[in-house]
Structure formats: structure tokens, C-alpha cells
Amino acid sequence: MQEFDVLVVGAGAAGLRAAIAAKQAGAAVALLTKVHPLRTNTGLAQGGINAPLGADDSPEAYAGDILQAGDGLCDPGVVQAFTQQAGDAVMWLEHMGVPFNRGADGRFDRRQFGSNGKARSLYVDDRTGHVVMQVLYEQFQRARIPLFADWFVTSLAIDSARCVGVTALGLRSGVLDSFGARAVILATGGFTRLFMPSTVSIGTTGDGQNLAYQAGIALKDLEMVQFHPLVFPGGNALMITEAVLAEGAQVVTAEGQPIANLIGATRDKICIAILQALQNGASGVALDLTPIGAQKLHSRFSQTNELIRNFTGLDPAKDPIPIRPVAHRPIGGIEVNVSGQTAMHGLYAAGECACTGLNGAGRLAGNILTEAVVFGARAGEAAAAYAKSAPPKAFPADRLEEEKKRLEALVSAGKSEDTAGHIHGELGRLMSESAGAVREGSALQAARGRIHALKERYAQLRVRNESAIYNYELVAYLELGAMLNLAEALVVAADARNESRGAHRRSDHPARDDRNGLCHSVVTLVQGAPQADTKPVVAL
Amino acid sequence: MQATFNVYRKEPGPNSKPGRSTYSVEVAADATVMDALLKIRDEQDPALGFRGSCLRGYCGDCTVRVNGKAAFACTAKVAALAKKGPAEISVEPIRNMPVVKDLIQDWDAFLWNKIDATKPWLEPNGSTADGEQRIPDTVMAKVRKAMSCFYCGLCDEGCTVLPVDFNFLGPAALTKASRFTWDPRDHAVRERLQILERPKGMWDCVHCFEASEHCPREIAPTERIMEMRDEAFKYGITNEKVARHHLSFAASVKRSGWLDEGRLAIESEGLTNFKGLMKLLPTAVKAITRGKAPIPYLHHKREGSEKITRIIEKAEANKEK
């Protein structure tokens, strides 16, 4: 067993930022991740990172736009704390080496991105996430924090309602080991791989949310899932940044009719406009990038240009790219306060796996990276402070043995007709159909029944690969378990919200219902079953 | 559509022998090699080892050789391969990287540890309270270009030095390090160049330009390495043999209009490098006994050498401007 003050799980932007902050606060930190820091889903973020740094901008103006996009469910105290820190957090990135695009005066150039009322998205061409991820990893290396890459966390170690570490499987060694810690920070990213198609990486499977959920912690606003409107739906689906809209790209029907008024609209509104056009008889919807021009496509959107060519085989300088709304990022997740603290002592969460209440029912475009660095740092500092003050507690003596036995029982050689891939495929299609951009009560209830059936099949499933080293079948099996649990909780939350608000659209309840709907949803695991409840939006 | 794959296999450990497995699999018309591998692992062979993350060609995790050519499994289309290539689609590990299991290769040894050895982080100037540093976008654009690298490994797989010396840092790690050289916000450029000039570093590149040929993002690693060497000269960092060789070469031509080969050999080794100089002795003796070197060894200026000196001086003055 290894012991640290603070353990971070997950190596995307939030996890790296949390680890650096905890180390700077004097804690002995280590980071565990199933995928190398330079391969995480943070690289998906393209268009920009918000910070109210312009002379015409202010934290208050930024807060106003967040509240607008959140459609009544943002916690104003969290919004205030966040918007006041955002500028410094992004300026820190600049000083650590993010080469943000500059204007003619050598100062930051800023994009007006999505429904932001100001040009406040700093950007690095069209690969902001990819570059922010590299700079965070550089500073992580500078801090000399031990990295356990290719390690999969299989369980939290909990003793007397306090998190005291994790058990994790070293994929390369094949060894299950225990990691003791005074505080654990979950920063495992989103879960939208439980939809098919989705925009996310293969490992975006909600591992951290599931660990917290199994430990009895509430998942908040889970029904709020952001669908991205500009996604080529073929294969694993390819997202195209909304920043192209501000540069002249147009959404058009297959019949060549432009869909108007999308610039400055929130993502959910663009999604609805596209679905509306399809419902009104359009045979398809496409993104026309030709107004941007071949030269600007190459200089300003070089990654977009390259990915579209390689992935779709189409030429964005000539061809319209077929698009439709596809599941992108969750807005809800592990319920935490503004410092990333969960309801359990010693357990923290940050980034996409957490829900602070900042975004309410809809996330402003360009917020995800800012959230990762603001709340990552806050969680790192809070966890380090807790680790300093918390009395020492031993790792439960039999925890590792129990976990070993649990995993061994999953493995059994032999053939079976059913597979994790089949169950995952069925789950993904079911979720896209029944819990997609527009939902309906009876379909959600039916989906719950079908998820239950999939869970029963999952319980019968065994891992056939007995080899310990790089057993990715076992990893995929454990990931699927997390996705099934989260899908069930999501459907329960979506069924309970009988209104349309922000990212949550119900065809059977098309209007916003402020009498009953101005509250967060929370889903908790009670005796093995998800239980939905509500919590008030915390006023200032 | 039905497609057949012939996949490289190897069990972990130094003593296992590599082999191949053949799989026939039904995939969608727009399926990628990654889709096929995932389906094979799920339905036919749960032990098949391979990596993958983003699934769309932006993360570099799934680089393999498909039909003998380095490619990303997540963007290589099965239909196109089946149409153009042989009946069985071959999938193998990329070159120059040790195999851990099947298609899972040792990125730690191949790239991550090498990057780690180059002080791959910015030592920031100034304080965040001063706001952003005013920097021309042309300068930032150069940094952005280097950082568009997604660590796919194609430059290292094309490198001609790595097959002979695996401990060479390689074009990917060197390109990563070059990113700081152009960044005015960093104050560790000198220290980093001193690390990079050590053996196995930037002077071990033989500028065959394969790295630049292989880079899918046109980052041109070979050119980046050349530029870093120039930068090292500016800082007076010239302790490496190849750097001294460059300096002696240029000085000789400037001085005499042509190459003083004896002096070049001695200056490249270094005048105080007794061990290195002793190694030259047998070559010198052989050259003398076979009449390849005149006795006594005297280097003469060539005719019109003062013109050559003037040309070089003028070029140097222009460069300083």
C-alpha cells in the first residue's frame, strides 16, 4: 500500500489543476488515471475558455450570462464565487504558458462564443482544450507529483463515513493495490459515453460519479445533459466547434434553406431549432462552412479542417457537413459545494464529474475549461486543508482482500453469447432515443424497465479474459457497470422533472413550470434503487 | 460488410515470441479499424490488447501500422482498406517502440520518459497580477504550431536514429522541448538547451528529415531541432562534439577558404579532451602511412581566400542586423 495526503483520480484539466493546487498547499499528492494525461477527453474542448478579462466585461456581466443560460437553476452564490475567480484562474494559465491567440496589440484576442453577451472566450486556434491540457500537464510535471497512469480505480475505501483511500488496478502490472489517503478528489470527467452516438472519448464513462453514487452520495441535476448541435453523426460522431458560427458558417437544411438566428443562441436552442427543422420536413440538416473560406478554415480552424477531412472524408471548404444534435457533456453530477466537498468527509469532486450548481439547467459555451481550472484548484486547496487537519485513519485492513475477491469472481473463462459491447450498444441507442435532446414521460418510464433488464443481463455476464496484464475487457466491464447505474439514475431524474427547462426538454411538458420546477433534482441510491428528490436552489 | 484482419500478437514478458491472429468480423460500412478491433475484442478475443481514447483522430493514442503503413486506427476506414489493399488487413505495432502486449506499446520508454527528461515545463516570468504579457501573435503562433503536436509518435516511428540508438530523445520529445525556446514568458531556455545538448539530445539528430515527412500536422520536427541548435549557438552552448565540429568547420572556411581537416578533427574532439584526442591517433597514423596526409601537416590558405572571408563576414554582419 502507498499513502498520500491527497489522491486525485483522473488526469483531465480538473484533476491536474487539483493536484497542482494541493501540492502547492503543502500536501503529499499522487494522481491515478486510467488514461495518460495527454490522452484525456479535455482535448475535445475546442472553441475557447471564458474569462471576464475584457475592458468592456466584468464578473457581474459574466454572471448575468451564466444565469441566463442556466434557466433559473444556477446557485447564485456559486456563480458569484466562480465569476470572481475566473479571470485569475485563466490568467494563471497564461503565465504558465498557454499561447492564447493575440490581437494586433499583443493582448488576448477574444471570441464571442455561444450565448456569451461579450467576447470573453480566450482561445488557442481551435484546440484550446488540447493546449490547456498540455500546459497543465507541464506544470504537474514541474510540481513533481507522482503519476500512476494506466491505473483503474475500482472502489473507494470508506471507514466510519469517511473516505480513506481507494483500491486501484494497475493495468500494466495486473496488480490490484490499495492507496491510503486523507482526502480523495474525484475528477473523472463526464459520462456521455452511455449515449450512442456521443461526442466523447472511449473512457468518458462516469466512473467517479458511480463510485460516489455507490457510496450514498447524491447525484444532482443528472437529467441536464448538454447536446451539441453541430455534430457529424456517423461512426463515433465528430463535434464541430460552435465558434465556426460566429465566423460565418451556416446551418442549412438539406434543401438548402438556412436556419436563422443561431448566432448567440444557447446550445439547447440551436438543438431545438435543428430538430424543429427536421420535424417540419427537412430531409436533413448540414453545416455549411464554405462562407468561412478555405484559407481561414486552414489558419483559424486547422484541427476542425483536418478532423472533418480525415473522419468524414468530406471537404469542409466545399461540402456541407451533415449534422444533428448529439450527447455532449453532462451538466449534473456528484453533488458538491463550491469547494468541491461532497457530503462525505474526505471525499471531493471537481470538473465534469461534479455538480456545483454553477450551470443550473444549461451551460454557457466556453465554461467547461474555466470550471475545470477554477473548481479544480478550489477542490485541491480544500482537500489539502482537510488532509492537514483530519485525524489519521488507517486503511481498512480487509478492504483490499475483499476487492480482490470481488474482481476475481467476475472473471470466468469460457464463451458466452452476450457481451459487454452488445449491452453497451443497446444502452447507448436506448438512451439516445428515450433520454435524448427531447424526452417524453412514458418513454422514460419504459427506458427504466429496459435498463433494468440490461442490468440483469450485465449481472450474468462474466469477464472471459483471465490474463491480468492490460485486461481491457475487465476495464470495459467495470465501465459498463457504472454507465448502467448512471443511465438508470438519469432516467429517474428526467422522468421526475415534468417541465421543459434549459437542456431538459419534455414533449409532454413543453413549458417551463416555475411553481414546481425551480429546484435541483437529486438522485440517491437507497437500498440498491435510485430515489429521486429535490433540493432548493440556494439563493444568495 | 465482412472484413478480415491479421493482427500482431505478443504476450507480455521478454521471452514470449510474437505471432499473428486472424479474425473475420462484420462491420458497418463507415467502420474504422478501431471499431473493428473493439468488436473483435468484445465478440471473439477478449484478450486482444490495443489502446484507444478519443476515437476521432485528435489524441494520438491508437497509432498502429495498418497494411504496413503507420495510421490511426480510429480514422483508418475499413472499406477503403478492403477496396485498395490485400484481402487481409494487417494491423501491427509501430516501429521503434517496445511492445508490452499485442498492439499495446511502451509509451513510457518511447516518449513520456524522454519528454520528462527535457525539463518540459515553463518557468514563468513575472506575476499574474501584471495581466497578460504583450506578445506579438506571430511569436505565439510559433508556440501554438509546436503545441498542435498530439504525441501520435509518427515522427519517432519514422526516425532513422532511434533504430540504432533507442536512447536518442527523438524528434517528438525534442519538438516538445522546442516549444519553450520561442516563448518569451519562459526563463529556463538556457538551462533547457544545456540539457538538450547532452549526448542523445539534439545533436544526435542526423537531419534525414524523415520526422518532418511523417508529421501529420506539418510541425516539421527536423526544422525545429535545427532551429534549437542555432539558438544554442546564440547562447554560446557549444560543448557537444557536433556543435564544436560546426564551429570549427565554419571557422576554417572563413580563415582559409577551405577545410582544415586535421584541425577540424582535433577541435571537434576538444583540445582538452585527452581521451578523445588519443582515439584520433590510429586514424592519423594510418592516414600518414598510406600517404593520405602530407608530412609535415601544414594547412594553406586557398587562392582568393580573403574574398571568402569577406563574404562570410558580410553574412555574419547581416545576420546580426
Side-chain angles (χ1 to χ4, degrees):
Chain A
M1 181 170 84
Q2 314 215 35
E3 278 188 283
F4 300 93
D5 294 333
V6 175
L7 265 184
V8 180
V9 184
L16 292 170
R17 189 65 192 91
I20 295 165
K23 177 78 192 256
Q24 275 172 343
V29 188
L31 189 145
L32 291 151
T33 172
K34 66 179 177 180
V35 54
H36 190 273
L38 296 173
R39 311 290 196 205
T40 61
N41 196 55
T42 294
L44 171 72
Q46 298 173 0
I49 176 167
N50 289 345
L53 290 168
D56 61 338
D57 204 356
S58 65
E60 291 73 30
Y62 184 21
D65 287 344
I66 291 175
L67 292 168
Q68 184 78 29
D71 210 2
L73 291 198
C74 301
D75 287 330
V78 177
V79 175
Q80 194 183 52
F82 172 77
T83 51
Q84 279 168 358
Q85 275 192 311
D88 285 346
V90 175
M91 196 59 83
W92 183 85
L93 287 175
E94 138 81 0
H95 274 256
M96 295 306 145
V98 174
F100 288 116
N101 286 57
R102 300 301 219 260
D105 58 356
R107 290 183 175 271
F108 294 143
D109 191 24
R110 285 170 278 115
R111 256 177 193 153
Q112 188 158 357
F113 190 25
S115 65
N116 282 284
K118 307 270 181 203
R120 71 163 65 91
S121 304
L122 281 66
Y123 63 98
V124 184
D125 296 332
D126 59 347
R127 48 173 72 89
T128 313
H130 177 65
V131 172
V132 166
M133 165 181 93
Q134 290 180 68
V135 168
L136 285 168
Y137 182 52
E138 288 165 14
Q139 293 301 313
F140 175 88
Q141 288 172 294
R142 182 174 174 225
R144 291 288 166 214
I145 298 165
L147 173 70
F148 295 85
D150 287 358
W151 280 78
F152 186 88
V153 171
T154 64
S155 75
L156 299 176
I158 294 161
D159 193 11
S160 323
R162 183 175 146 194
C163 183
V164 294
V166 304
T167 60
L169 180 65
L171 300 181
R172 183 159 182 173
S173 64
V175 173
L176 185 78
D177 206 348
S178 49
F179 291 79
R182 297 189 176 205
V184 172
I185 302 173
L186 298 171
T188 56
F191 59 67
T192 32
R193 184 87 178 135
L194 64 83
F195 291 87
M196 273 192 190
S198 74
T199 62
V200 294
S201 70
I202 196 166
T204 309
T205 50
D207 308 339
Q209 292 90 322
N210 185 52
L211 290 173
Y213 182 54
Q214 298 302 315
I217 291 166
L219 301 177
K220 186 164 138 185
D221 294 339
L222 217 52
E223 72 278 22
M224 300 300 173
V225 176
Q226 222 171 7
F227 282 71
H228 198 288
L230 311 182
V231 184
F232 174 79
N236 292 304
L238 180 72
M239 180 200 89
I240 301 165
T241 174
E242 281 157 297
V244 297
L245 294 179
E247 304 270 359
Q250 277 203 319
V251 179
V252 294
T253 64
E255 289 72 26
Q257 202 68 32
I259 300 177
N261 302 326
L262 297 186
I263 296 176
T266 56
R267 280 189 181 150
D268 49 278
K269 297 231 164 67
I270 305 178
C271 289
I272 296 301
I274 291 171
L275 294 174
Q276 198 72 51
L278 290 169
Q279 216 166 38
N280 293 348
S283 59
V285 174
L287 182 66
D288 180 10
L289 293 149
T290 57
I292 297 178
Q295 206 192 335
K296 208 167 171 193
L297 265 175
H298 190 74
S299 63
R300 302 261 296 202
F301 296 103
S302 62
Q303 180 176 254
T304 302
N305 193 30
E306 171 194 316
L307 294 180
I308 291 175
R309 282 164 189 274
N310 291 348
F311 193 78
T312 72
L314 297 166
D315 179 357
K318 283 192 223 132
D319 309 315
I321 314 300
I323 52 163
R324 76 173 150 95
V326 163
H328 184 45
R329 297 183 189 277
I331 297 167
I334 303 165
E335 184 182 32
V336 294
N337 70 8
V338 74
S339 299
Q341 219 174 335
T342 70
M344 179 178 285
H345 288 296
L347 187 63
Y348 296 75
E352 217 175 313
C353 73
C355 181
T356 57
L358 171 76
N359 296 300
R363 180 187 286 118
L364 197 60
N367 258 12
I368 190 82
L369 289 171
T370 317
E371 283 173 59
V373 290
V374 169
F375 292 123
R378 289 186 74 115
E381 284 158 14
Y386 175 83
K388 246 180 227 164
S389 65
K393 201 159 182 99
F395 196 90
D398 43 3
R399 189 69 203 82
L400 184 63
E401 272 315 305
E402 280 170 22
E403 187 64 3
K404 255 185 202 155
K405 281 194 191 122
R406 178 179 83 93
L407 295 182
E408 275 164 15
L410 300 175
V411 180
S412 151
K415 278 200 177 306
S416 77
E417 280 301 299
D418 207 2
T419 69
H422 292 172
I423 296 176
H424 184 192
E426 284 177 49
L427 175 72
R429 285 186 292 276
L430 172 68
M431 292 303 285
S432 290
E433 282 160 22
S434 310
V438 180
R439 295 117 181 222
E440 201 253 314
S442 59
L444 287 166
Q445 285 144 26
R448 190 173 174 188
R450 287 180 60 192
I451 293 168
H452 188 74
L454 290 175
K455 285 179 87 168
E456 285 188 340
R457 272 167 62 190
Y458 176 76
Q460 300 300 315
L461 210 61
R462 286 294 168 268
V463 175
R464 297 150 295 172
N465 179 14
E466 294 178 300
S467 147
I469 292 169
Y470 279 113
N471 190 340
Y472 276 119
E473 192 202 12
L474 175 60
V475 171
Y477 175 91
L478 295 171
E479 289 172 339
L480 176 60
M483 287 189 283
L484 285 163
N485 291 334
L486 294 178
E488 187 181 33
L490 192 160
V491 164
V492 166
D495 183 32
R497 185 173 288 282
N498 291 314
E499 61 159 353
S500 291
R501 178 188 298 276
H504 176 71
R505 295 279 132 190
R506 286 277 298 263
S507 58
D508 49 346
H509 296 282
R512 193 169 117 161
D513 173 9
D514 280 349
R515 243 195 25 213
N516 302 305
L518 271 177
C519 54
H520 296 290
S521 77
V522 281
V523 179
T524 321
L525 196 63
V526 180
Q527 289 169 340
Q531 191 169 305
D533 204 348
T534 61
K535 272 197 179 171
V537 173
V538 185
L540 260 184
Chain B
M1 59 178 285
Q2 196 75 21
T4 307
F5 289 85
N6 184 284
V7 184
Y8 175 96
R9 304 300 303 273
K10 186 183 173 298
E11 280 302 304
N15 300 322
S16 68
K17 284 212 170 66
R20 316 278 300 200
S21 293
T22 306
Y23 308 98
S24 179
V25 61
E26 174 71 28
V27 293
D30 65 348
T32 63
V33 171
M34 175 57 69
D35 294 327
L37 291 174
L38 286 167
K39 197 157 191 238
I40 291 167
R41 179 154 75 203
D42 187 54
E43 294 176 353
Q44 300 181 32
D45 189 347
L48 178 62
F50 57 90
R51 288 182 192 274
S53 181
C54 80
L55 305 175
R56 293 152 184 90
Y58 65 76
C59 91
D61 202 29
C62 68
T63 314
V64 285
R65 285 174 81 77
V66 180
N67 284 347
K69 199 167 166 267
F72 310 122
C74 73
T75 53
K77 300 276 185 194
V78 176
L81 291 161
K83 204 168 139 190
K84 277 191 279 180
E88 285 189 0
I89 298 168
S90 146
V91 188
E92 303 163 292
I94 62 170
R95 293 181 299 202
N96 297 339
M97 178 156 42
V99 169
V100 180
K101 175 188 163 64
D102 303 341
L103 302 170
I104 297 172
Q105 298 185 259
D106 190 349
W107 283 88
D108 285 340
F110 177 70
L111 185 54
W112 307 139
N113 295 346
K114 289 179 181 179
I115 289 177
D116 210 31
T118 65
K119 196 178 172 78
W121 56 80
L122 189 125
E123 291 284 350
N125 286 318
S127 118
T128 52
D130 306 334
E132 79 258 48
Q133 298 186 37
R134 288 197 187 203
I135 302 167
D137 196 53
T138 45
V139 174
M140 287 285 93
K142 193 156 183 185
V143 177
R144 288 199 295 273
K145 187 74 191 169
M147 293 186 87
S148 71
C149 170
F150 59 122
Y151 310 95
C152 68
L154 288 197
C155 60
D156 280 352
E157 109 99 36
C159 175
T160 53
V161 177
L162 283 170
V164 236
D165 183 3
F166 182 73
N167 294 319
F168 172 44
L169 286 177
L174 288 168
T175 302
K176 167 73 192 175
S178 83
R179 151 248 190 298
F180 305 101
T181 312
W182 331 122
D183 198 327
R185 298 169 297 181
D186 180 47
H187 68 69
V189 177
R190 168 180 290 276
E191 196 189 330
R192 198 173 300 101
L193 288 171
Q194 281 167 339
I195 295 170
L196 297 176
E197 77 151 353
R198 290 181 200 152
K200 318 292 180 194
M202 60 181 168
W203 291 107
D204 281 32
C205 168
V206 297
H207 28 92
C208 67
F209 287 87
E210 286 293 328
S212 295
E213 289 283 318
H214 281 71
C215 175
R217 292 242 160 115
E218 296 166 356
I219 300 167
T222 317
E223 285 85 341
R224 302 288 86 79
I225 295 169
M226 299 294 130
E227 286 172 344
M228 276 201 295
R229 291 175 172 185
D230 284 348
E231 207 66 21
F233 280 124
K234 281 188 206 155
Y235 278 88
I237 298 169
T238 55
N239 296 318
E240 168 63 17
K241 188 170 158 183
V242 191
R244 289 197 301 263
H245 181 91
H246 278 56
L247 285 177
S248 174
F249 197 111
S252 168
V253 175
K254 185 178 169 185
R255 200 168 45 235
S256 63
W258 54 8
L259 204 55
D260 182 347
E261 289 181 65
R263 193 160 167 180
L264 179 71
I266 291 167
E267 286 184 344
S268 296
E269 287 301 335
L271 295 176
T272 53
N273 178 8
F274 184 71
K275 226 169 127 186
L277 292 174
M278 290 311 283
K279 271 197 253 168
L280 291 176
L281 261 182
T283 318
V285 170
K286 249 191 238 169
I288 291 164
T289 52
R290 290 179 192 174
K292 301 262 182 184
I295 295 284
Y297 182 85
L298 287 169
H299 182 69
H300 299 285
K301 285 186 178 182
R302 63 172 292 166
E303 207 178 309
S305 70
E306 53 297 336
K307 280 185 196 160
I308 294 173
T309 307
R310 278 210 302 281
I311 292 170
I312 294 178
E313 281 171 351
K314 204 168 172 190
E316 283 170 346
N318 275 341
K319 204 175 175 189
E320 271 160 35
K321 271 184 220 162

